[in-house]
Amino acid sequence: MSTHRSPRRPRRPRPLTALLASALATATLAGGLGSATASAAGGPPAVIRAVGAENEYANVIAQIGGRYVHTSAIMSNPNTDPHTFEASPSVAKTVAAAQLVVQNGIGYDDFMNKIEKASPSSGRKVIDVQTLRGLPDSTPNPHLWYSPQTMPLVAEALANDLALLQPAHAAYFQANATRFIDSLKPWYQALAHFAAAHPNTPVAVTEPVADYLLQAAGTQDLTPYSLQAAIMNGTDPAPQDISQQTSFLSGHKVKVFLYNEQVTDPLTETWLKAAHRAGIPVVGVYETMPTPGYDYQTWMQAELRALTRAVAGKTSTAKL
């Protein structure tokens, strides 16, 4: 079931509450005691505590860390709007206790920075994907995990940081990273095949969730980015953008309509109905990895297969 935005809310999470700050203090104390105990025992704990701010990053952590890492995901519910996520005391405790964190950046998960600053740890490794990619804060599209360039860099950074936490298992982590990167090749090949078979396919979208994948697949996204950003941020789109988007559907100017399956509102529902009336296949895309049944690689391949079915077979895929 999709989540309806009503009323519209800002994309940025709200500040930490007093209750959350209290939980952070408790978690910091507990984390400090745990570190001291591990140090007194003569080495790091047997299992590294790791956190992925989004479950797609947590999944990659688990694949690289294997049996030496216990991984938690903060945002993992495909039926909620990640842009309005607010950290709870239990989230604060989980992050404060982590020895390794992967977060997206570009304002998508700012709450992670607040928790980390409130519970500092000199030994904690933090992989900020925005920084890893060398992207400025002004980067318009924060959905970095849809870019084919992102996860190989994350995998290598994970292997390096996990090796620093447990040097004895460095070769194990690097082997897992190499295996993970190799496992992305079928996705890359499928993207290249789609681009060659269906060059410049015109599409329309509600939000820039899968825009990086659409670019890699060689599609032509006709939806004005100003409209995509307005819907993503929960603000009112310009009337001319709404009119243009509607004309793409009613005028059969696009071959596929992609929408954020996790967040719909009356406006996007109107476009969904218009697409159905026009016989334009629709594809639901996700901000967090659907579970169970998927890892990062199979999720990306499933999204591309849904796009392929829409273009080649005029078949809709509302849910993976």
Side-chain angles (χ1 to χ4, degrees):
M1 181 181 296
S2 299
T3 299
H4 292 261
R5 259 197 206 118
S6 181
R8 295 183 183 275
R9 290 178 287 179
R11 169 177 163 233
R12 306 272 181 174
R14 286 176 241 170
L16 294 173
T17 63
L19 180 60
L20 181 54
S22 174
L24 282 168
T26 302
T28 301
L29 177 60
L33 290 173
S35 298
T37 302
S39 178
V47 177
I48 298 168
R49 296 183 300 277
V51 167
E54 294 78 25
N55 67 346
E56 49 265 28
Y57 292 125
N59 178 262
V60 178
I61 296 171
Q63 292 190 56
I64 308 306
R67 62 180 176 270
Y68 298 111
V69 176
H70 173 77
T71 308
S72 300
I74 303 303
M75 290 193 283
S76 59
N77 187 345
N79 295 320
T80 60
D81 179 2
H83 294 295
T84 58
F85 179 87
E86 293 186 38
S88 66
S90 63
V91 166
K93 290 181 181 179
T94 299
V95 176
Q99 297 160 277
L100 183 145
V101 172
V102 178
Q103 59 200 51
N104 187 74
I106 316 183
Y108 192 85
D109 43 21
D110 277 349
F111 66 91
M112 296 292 289
N113 295 327
K114 296 172 184 177
I115 295 173
E116 290 153 12
K117 288 178 181 177
S119 58
S121 170
S122 60
R124 182 189 298 135
K125 308 297 182 185
V126 177
I127 298 172
D128 182 284
V129 179
Q130 173 189 354
T131 303
L132 194 64
R133 289 285 309 274
L135 299 173
D137 292 341
S138 59
T139 301
N141 184 3
H143 306 94
L144 300 179
W145 52 92
Y146 271 100
S147 169
Q149 301 174 47
T150 294
M151 288 307 187
L153 296 176
V154 172
E156 289 290 358
L158 281 167
N160 291 336
D161 281 355
L162 290 169
L164 292 174
L165 292 168
Q166 289 196 2
H169 304 127
Y172 173 86
F173 299 136
Q174 186 56 58
N176 284 350
T178 299
R179 187 178 303 112
F180 170 80
I181 293 170
D182 285 344
S183 73
L184 294 173
K185 290 179 180 177
W187 179 40
Y188 298 158
Q189 292 166 354
L191 284 167
H193 181 268
F194 182 96
H198 311 285
N200 300 311
T201 297
V203 303
V205 304
T206 57
E207 300 185 42
V209 175
D211 277 10
Y212 291 121
L213 182 149
L214 293 172
Q215 292 164 12
T219 68
Q220 184 182 7
D221 187 351
L222 300 187
T223 303
Y225 194 83
S226 54
L227 184 147
Q228 298 183 47
I231 294 176
M232 175 178 68
N233 293 326
T235 60
D236 293 324
Q240 61 268 29
D241 286 348
I242 296 175
S243 177
Q244 188 175 27
Q245 175 89 321
T246 302
S247 72
F248 294 150
L249 301 171
S250 62
H252 299 85
K253 296 177 181 178
V254 297
K255 292 187 176 181
V256 188
F257 179 58
L258 300 98
Y259 70 102
N260 185 348
E261 206 283 332
Q262 291 177 239
V263 183
T264 58
D265 61 17
L267 181 58
T268 57
E269 289 283 5
T270 297
W271 288 328
L272 279 169
K273 292 175 182 177
H276 287 305
R277 283 196 304 269
I280 296 171
V282 301
V283 172
V285 295
Y286 294 74
E287 296 198 48
T288 52
M289 185 178 67
T291 55
Y294 289 99
D295 57 21
Y296 173 76
Q297 304 94 302
T298 56
W299 174 34
M300 289 294 103
Q301 291 177 45
E303 297 278 21
L304 183 57
R305 281 197 301 271
L307 177 64
T308 303
R309 284 194 298 267
V311 175
K314 296 185 178 181
T315 302
S316 296
T317 304
K319 289 181 177 291
L320 293 181

